[in-house]
Amino acid sequence: MKCFHHPDSDAVGLCKACGKGLCKLCAVDMGQGLACADSCEVAVRDLIVQIAISRKALATTPGAYKTQSTIGFVTGGIFMATAGLAALTPAWFVAPLLALFGVPMLYQGVRARRTYRSLLAAHKELPP
Ligand SMILES: [Zn+2]
Ligand SMILES: [Zn+2]
């Protein structure tokens, strides 16, 4: 690959912001990526900051959703099991009421699980 500005020079890498090939003269090393000298430095710096923020957020939030999902499944499961048992007793009429609470809890568990998975996927897709 050649430099975008100097077709005779070999590129040492790509600009993290605009993706153009850069030679030694045109590239500024921003620590976690290269930038076009005098044009993309600010953009690349902002990008690196954004990625760092996303990475930090994505490192902690999936765990919270995982916990929420487990709580939803467990409490929803307990409510549904209790509803099933209650249905066999003379107090059968409380079963629908218990199920009425159990279903949204299970649904919450499914939703939190979905969010957890998509956050994990997003974490993997973050550029280095
Ligand atoms: Zn650039
Ligand atoms: Zn160049």
Side-chain angles (χ1 to χ4, degrees):
M1 188 180 50
K2 298 287 175 189
C3 174
F4 180 80
H5 306 282
H6 307 93
D8 297 331
S9 309
D10 280 327
V12 292
L14 296 174
C15 170
K16 202 177 180 92
C18 68
K20 284 172 187 160
L22 301 170
C23 71
K24 267 182 196 157
L25 283 176
C26 302
V28 178
D29 190 357
M30 304 296 289
Q32 289 168 65
L34 299 178
C36 302
D38 302 326
S39 67
C40 291
E41 282 153 284
V42 173
V44 170
R45 198 190 57 213
D46 288 351
L47 205 64
I48 289 170
V49 169
Q50 283 307 317
I51 292 169
I53 291 170
S54 304
R55 194 179 294 286
K56 216 171 181 181
L58 284 171
T60 51
T61 37
Y65 277 101
K66 196 181 181 185
T67 308
Q68 203 187 322
S69 164
T70 308
I71 291 170
F73 283 130
V74 170
T75 51
I78 290 171
F79 267 84
M80 296 311 275
T82 312
L85 290 174
L88 306 170
T89 70
W92 57 267
F93 48 86
V94 300
L97 202 67
L98 288 168
L100 207 66
F101 284 106
V103 169
M105 285 174 189
L106 287 177
Y107 179 63
Q108 191 61 40
V110 172
R111 267 188 24 172
R113 187 96 201 152
R114 247 183 241 152
T115 310
Y116 165 66
R117 293 204 175 199
S118 63
L119 283 173
L120 277 193
H123 197 192
K124 274 189 201 134
E125 279 165 23
L126 269 186

